[in-house]
């Protein structure tokens, strides 16, 4: 979807910036947004974002233990 028409909402939970703060992700020439609740998913369980973020199936989880 073109960046101009994509809503600013979390790629995981679909909450928008009126509901939660959002981090922007510049990736593959597009901007995506993710909320603080789901930012750890991007780092530790990126497989959960398959189908939501293009190429997420190729991401590897962080090897750092909490």
């Amino acid at each position: 979807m073109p960046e101009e028409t994509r809503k600013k909402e979390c790629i995981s939970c679909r909450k928008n910036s009126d509901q939660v703060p959002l981090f922007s992700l510049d990736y593959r020439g597009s901007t995506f947004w993710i909320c603080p609740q789901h930012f750890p998913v991007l780092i530790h369980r990126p497989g959960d974002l398959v189908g939501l973020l293009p190429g997420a199936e190729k991401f590897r989880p962080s090897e750092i233990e909490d």
Side-chain angles (χ1 to χ4, degrees), residues 5-56:
T5 58
R6 188 182 309 127
K7 292 181 184 178
K8 290 185 180 181
E9 60 184 22
C10 176
I11 57 174
S12 186
C13 67
R14 302 294 182 205
K15 289 182 181 175
N16 64 44
S17 61
D18 290 332
Q19 299 168 296
V20 296
L22 295 172
F23 296 103
S24 66
L25 304 170
D26 292 324
Y27 178 60
R28 292 188 172 182
S30 295
T31 302
F32 300 88
W33 293 270
I34 194 162
C35 72
Q37 179 181 352
H38 291 101
F39 192 78
V41 173
L42 179 65
I43 298 167
H44 299 288
R45 294 190 333 265
D48 290 358
L49 299 176
V50 171
L52 303 174
L53 185 64

